[in-house]
Amino acid sequence: MLLRLCLAVCLVSLCLYQTPLQAELKTIQLITMGGAITGTQKDALSGKFKLSSRSAETLVAGNIEILELADIKFKELYNIPSQEIQQKHWIKLAKEVDKAVNDITIDAVIITHGTDTLEETAYFLNLTVKTKKPIILTGAIRAALHPSSDSTQNLIDAIRVATHNDAINKGVLVVANGKIISARHIQKNHNHSLDALESSELGILGYVHNEIIDFHQASIKKHTYYSDFDIKTISELPNVDIAYAYSGGLSNIKKTAIKGLVVAGVGSGNIPMTTLKELKKLQKNNIQIVRSSRNVGAPVYSSKGSEINDAYLNFVSANNLSPQKARVLLMVALHKTSDPNKIRSYFKTH
Ligand code: ASP
């Protein structure tokens, strides 16, 4: 009897104290670019952030548990506000991401980035990095060391999505405020609301709630592995500018050294008659004109009923890409071709 009791006690203590076999952690390459997500708070009340000196360290400051979610390799590529990001930064980042996804020891890549232009970087990576591995961007509206920052939660959510098998082959994703959004549809629609990073009206892809990753849909536009572009062949991109249309006019166009011009037109990409003549001349001089809309998320098509005849003028319509995203696609497209028909097909499929 005594022997049996001893055996039972031993078994119970074994069950209690033996650490359960840990599932193998996935390995993430985490690249920091700067922005509020790795920023420190200048003072608690003003909401103003400043860049931290060691951005990667700021991410785990006081939240060491983050390191239990995955085996994370940190790399600080830049530490700049995202309004400073230019094509040279995109190219360097995309090459870095490309290197990581081609490393068999890396399962996924996360990029922390300022939210102001995060959508442009996300779309550039979506167009140029050939992989099925998850690539996730995240940012924060309130600096990492703000008393009620969204930085840690967004990072934890990004890690959870990045390590989830359902995130494979979905293209570049943005994770923020509990939502999973495709790089094709992400847009910053507010400046200080925690919900600032939103999807176009086509909708978010899914939710992340604690350990639950719940995908509902995916973008079927060509992305990453299926894209017609590849960062391996890109070392420089042609200059493309954006001109903003308003009642009766168009902002000044920088005519030199550009290879393309995206017009943020009124309504369905419309442009006042006086400036249309100028755009026709540019197109004749091989500066590709792309018509988008200043109406957020609204698609521009070259339909029979369009007020501007794109087929005749050799203009291209931007579908529902914002002017800033149409600029990204036009840069990448012009890197490959100057044929308006080919560029048109890229705008339909990507
Ligand atoms: N200006 C900052 C940036 O985009 C703001 C932010 O991170 O949200 O880098």
Side-chain angles (χ1 to χ4, degrees):
M1 179 68 192
L2 193 68
L3 190 71
R4 261 201 231 148
L5 194 71
C6 282
L7 262 173
V9 170
C10 287
L11 268 174
V12 169
S13 15
L14 259 178
C15 291
L16 281 179
Y17 295 113
Q18 196 183 35
T19 38
L21 274 181
Q22 281 249 317
E24 215 179 290
L25 289 181
K26 289 206 179 181
T27 304
I28 290 178
Q29 176 67 66
L30 195 152
I31 302 173
T32 61
M33 296 289 284
I37 186 161
T38 48
T40 57
Q41 190 64 19
K42 214 159 191 178
D43 66 78
L45 294 181
S46 75
K48 196 168 180 182
F49 87 96
K50 61 176 187 190
L51 297 167
S52 61
S53 54
R54 301 292 303 272
S55 67
E57 278 169 19
T58 318
L59 279 174
V60 281
N63 296 288
I64 222 74
E65 294 83 2
I66 285 175
L67 301 174
E68 289 165 14
L69 294 171
D71 177 9
I72 304 176
K73 296 185 189 321
F74 291 90
K75 177 164 185 106
E76 180 177 306
L77 193 61
Y78 294 106
N79 192 10
I80 51 178
S82 71
Q83 59 269 33
E84 304 301 338
I85 288 181
Q86 302 165 19
Q87 55 145 300
K88 63 173 185 203
H89 303 108
W90 290 342
I91 293 171
K92 188 158 177 204
L93 171 64
K95 289 198 186 287
E96 201 63 48
V97 175
D98 189 55
K99 195 168 81 189
V101 294
N102 283 302
D103 178 338
I104 51 160
T105 66
I106 306 281
D107 297 299
V109 177
I110 294 180
I111 299 134
T112 59
H113 196 288
T115 59
D116 290 349
T117 67
L118 181 145
E119 62 206 58
E120 286 155 78
T121 303
Y123 189 47
F124 179 72
L125 297 173
N126 200 47
L127 291 172
T128 59
V129 181
K130 289 217 166 289
T131 186
K132 292 184 182 176
K133 289 186 185 176
I135 301 173
I136 316 286
L137 279 92
T138 191
I141 301 302
R142 296 180 189 156
L145 301 184
H146 182 287
S148 63
S149 176
D150 49 336
S151 168
T152 308
Q153 188 60 54
N154 283 346
L155 180 66
I156 289 172
D157 288 349
I159 297 170
R160 285 189 156 137
V161 176
T163 52
H164 200 281
N165 286 345
D166 287 355
I168 295 170
N169 206 12
K170 295 280 191 309
V172 174
L173 302 171
V174 176
V175 172
N177 208 30
K179 292 169 185 164
I180 309 167
I181 308 168
S182 81
R184 179 66 176 69
H185 298 307
I186 181 77
Q187 55 194 34
K188 186 173 182 181
N189 277 346
H190 203 282
N191 304 330
H192 41 261
S193 154
L194 292 183
D195 217 2
L197 294 175
E198 289 181 339
S199 167
S200 74
E201 64 181 352
L202 292 171
I204 63 168
L205 303 190
Y207 301 99
V208 43
H209 177 64
N210 301 327
E211 75 285 6
I212 306 290
I213 309 301
D214 182 25
F215 274 93
H216 287 246
Q217 53 181 340
S219 169
I220 59 163
K221 292 290 180 194
K222 282 189 177 184
H223 58 68
T224 50
Y225 185 75
Y226 312 92
S227 168
D228 287 337
F229 311 103
D230 188 347
I231 190 60
K232 289 191 182 68
T233 67
I234 300 175
S235 53
E236 217 185 342
L237 290 168
N239 285 332
V240 171
D241 205 1
I242 298 176
Y244 199 90
Y246 47 87
S247 182
L250 188 69
S251 63
N252 276 336
I253 304 163
K254 191 170 48 172
K255 290 177 197 102
T256 50
I258 56 165
K259 285 263 170 252
L261 181 72
V262 175
V263 179
V266 297
S268 307
N270 288 320
I271 303 153
M273 204 38 102
T274 43
T275 48
L276 192 57
K277 282 189 196 141
E278 215 181 320
L279 296 183
K280 273 188 203 169
K281 264 193 246 154
L282 292 183
Q283 182 69 53
K284 284 215 165 99
N285 290 329
N286 287 324
I287 295 175
Q288 181 61 55
I289 306 297
V290 170
R291 295 189 307 114
S292 65
S293 176
R294 64 179 195 173
N295 296 343
V296 177
V300 174
Y301 297 119
S302 309
S303 75
K304 284 187 187 135
S306 299
E307 291 177 59
I308 293 175
N309 188 336
D310 291 321
Y312 172 72
L313 294 165
N314 275 329
F315 290 1
V316 168
S317 56
N319 200 309
N320 69 340
L321 289 174
S322 62
Q324 59 273 25
K325 277 195 185 163
R327 175 175 172 266
V328 176
L329 180 54
L330 185 54
M331 287 163 99
V332 174
L334 284 169
H335 172 264
K336 265 193 127 171
T337 180
S338 53
D339 173 4
N341 284 322
K342 191 77 197 141
I343 295 174
R344 197 166 284 137
S345 81
Y346 291 145
F347 273 83
K348 276 196 192 128
T349 51
H350 292 69

